Amino acid sequence: MSLSLRIVEVVPETADAVSIRFEPVSGELPPYRAGQFLTLRLPCAEGAVARSYSLSSAPHEGGPWQVTVKRVAGGRGSNWLCDNAAEGLVLESLPPGGVFTPESDAEDLLLLAAGSGITPVLSILKSVLANGTGRCALVYANRDERSVIFARELAALTQAHADRFTVVHWLESGQGLPTPERLTALMAPWSRRPVFVCGPEPFMDAVGVAAGALGIERVCSERFVSMSADPFAALSTSADSAAASVEIDGITHEFAWPRERVLLDALLARGVDAPYSCREGACSACVCRVRDGEVKLLRNDVLEQEDLADGYVLACQAVPVTDTVRISYD
């Protein structure tokens, strides 16, 4: 399930951010969608940790995968990568995951990012401008001009797609923190577009308030948390079971689902190539839908109430409640 990736280049972006480009040790890289992320296993001195980093490359570009990492005070993963990432280093990775992806490259989008939150947003932006007809407006917040990641690339995209792409830079050094009230005014010209936002928690919360004030219903946010468990670890076993029927990639798998084991572990134990990443209910890479029966989520930091009402659950957190459960991966 995991991939062995070799670093082929490390590119400084700002004083505290680097882009890291990977190629497979063997074989070919699997496909991915703009806005997705990699989960890397990092051999830190204090012990291995798993961390998720968004891909700043876009699928149509071909070539190496690229993630962009910004150093975070006290961040074990980001500091280790910024200090140790070098050409030739091999790291273990899970396949690309996440649902921070637009429905279509033809759709007009309002993109908002702060700091390193530009990483998945840039991937989406490049894909829409290269492959589709959609128009994009980007609001990008940073401390000052020196901390703007991808400044040159964004300027080049603006020049190349002046009729389809608008970027508004927000610099805290001159404008202060972006408040919900000021973001509401800034977002108003594009209030009929779906919103994609990534950045620090206070920034995303402020965007959410502004979107609510403008009546924007479609807001997709990307949130990462430090993982306490190891998603690369071996799976455990369990006893008492429910009868499960799970459809994935057009194939239906029927098996005994131990009541104390989450669905993802039950699938992986049977050799089913089910999607996942964080395994902590925080990223939605493993989302699936209950068609019949009932499950309980041990944790949920990403699905909204309307998602749950429609039957969507997280395979990494779902345990069976009823004696029979039917699930599909849409």
Side-chain angles (χ1 to χ4, degrees):
M1 187 69 180
S2 64
L3 308 167
S4 293
L5 302 178
R6 179 181 290 111
I7 296 176
V8 295
E9 190 176 8
V10 179
V11 181
E13 298 290 355
T14 66
D16 55 3
V18 296
S19 287
I20 304 168
R21 294 173 181 165
F22 295 99
E23 288 185 347
V25 171
S26 61
E28 297 183 354
L29 294 171
Y32 69 99
R33 300 193 306 276
Q36 292 192 306
F37 59 84
L38 297 181
T39 299
L40 302 173
R41 188 175 190 273
L42 308 176
C44 302
E46 305 87 347
V49 297
R51 294 290 185 268
S52 296
Y53 297 101
S54 295
L55 287 152
S56 51
S57 54
H60 72 275
E61 294 175 318
W65 281 350
Q66 176 178 290
V67 299
T68 302
V69 181
K70 182 178 180 180
R71 190 185 297 273
V72 177
R76 289 175 63 188
S78 64
N79 282 283
W80 188 91
L81 278 172
C82 287
D83 291 336
N84 295 280
E87 183 178 344
L89 178 67
V90 175
L91 296 175
E92 188 178 2
S93 172
L94 297 179
V99 294
F100 188 68
T101 57
E103 295 179 0
S104 167
D105 287 335
E107 194 169 29
D108 294 343
L109 301 176
L110 173 53
L111 310 170
L112 296 105
S116 59
I118 189 63
T119 305
V121 169
L122 178 68
S123 180
I124 293 171
L125 174 63
K126 291 189 291 186
S127 292
V128 171
L129 295 178
N131 301 326
T133 57
R135 295 171 298 167
C136 294
L138 167 65
V139 177
Y140 186 19
N142 283 283
R143 292 191 308 271
D144 50 43
E145 289 187 4
R146 293 175 299 176
S147 61
V148 179
I149 306 172
F150 306 124
R152 291 182 180 179
E153 190 165 0
L154 290 171
L157 289 171
T158 303
Q159 186 173 5
H161 303 278
D163 58 332
R164 297 175 55 210
F165 175 44
T166 301
V167 58
V168 178
H169 287 283
W170 182 294
L171 301 180
E172 295 175 12
S173 57
Q175 297 168 272
L177 292 173
T179 63
E181 294 76 18
R182 298 176 74 181
L183 283 170
T184 299
L186 201 58
M187 295 163 58
W190 305 289
S191 61
R192 295 187 178 183
R193 301 183 183 184
V195 167
F196 283 77
V197 55
C198 186
E201 202 77 20
F203 176 77
M204 291 198 292
D205 290 343
V207 170
V209 173
L214 292 168
I216 302 174
E217 296 182 354
R218 294 175 58 190
V219 179
C220 184
S221 59
E222 184 73 309
R223 302 173 187 266
F224 291 114
V225 296
S226 295
M227 294 171 238
S228 57
D230 182 4
F232 297 87
L235 305 173
S236 59
T237 58
S238 187
D240 182 29
S241 303
S245 175
V246 180
E247 182 181 350
I248 182 170
D249 294 331
I251 301 175
T252 299
H253 304 269
E254 296 184 349
F255 55 94
W257 179 4
R259 292 188 181 277
E260 296 182 357
R261 174 179 282 187
V262 297
L263 176 61
L264 176 63
D265 287 359
L267 289 169
L268 295 179
R270 296 180 58 83
V272 179
D273 189 17
Y276 71 95
S277 186
C278 76
R279 295 178 75 166
E280 295 197 354
C283 78
S284 76
C286 64
V287 68
C288 54
R289 194 172 190 179
V290 177
R291 299 293 186 179
D292 190 29
E294 184 181 352
V295 305
K296 178 177 71 173
L297 293 183
L298 303 180
R299 176 178 174 180
N300 170 36
D301 294 333
V302 62
L303 295 180
E304 303 292 343
Q305 191 57 47
E306 53 265 34
D307 299 320
L308 299 173
D310 287 338
Y312 290 102
V313 297
L314 303 171
C316 74
Q317 298 297 315
V319 293
V321 173
T322 53
D323 291 336
T324 61
V325 183
R326 184 168 64 90
I327 289 176
S328 68
Y329 282 76
D330 295 331

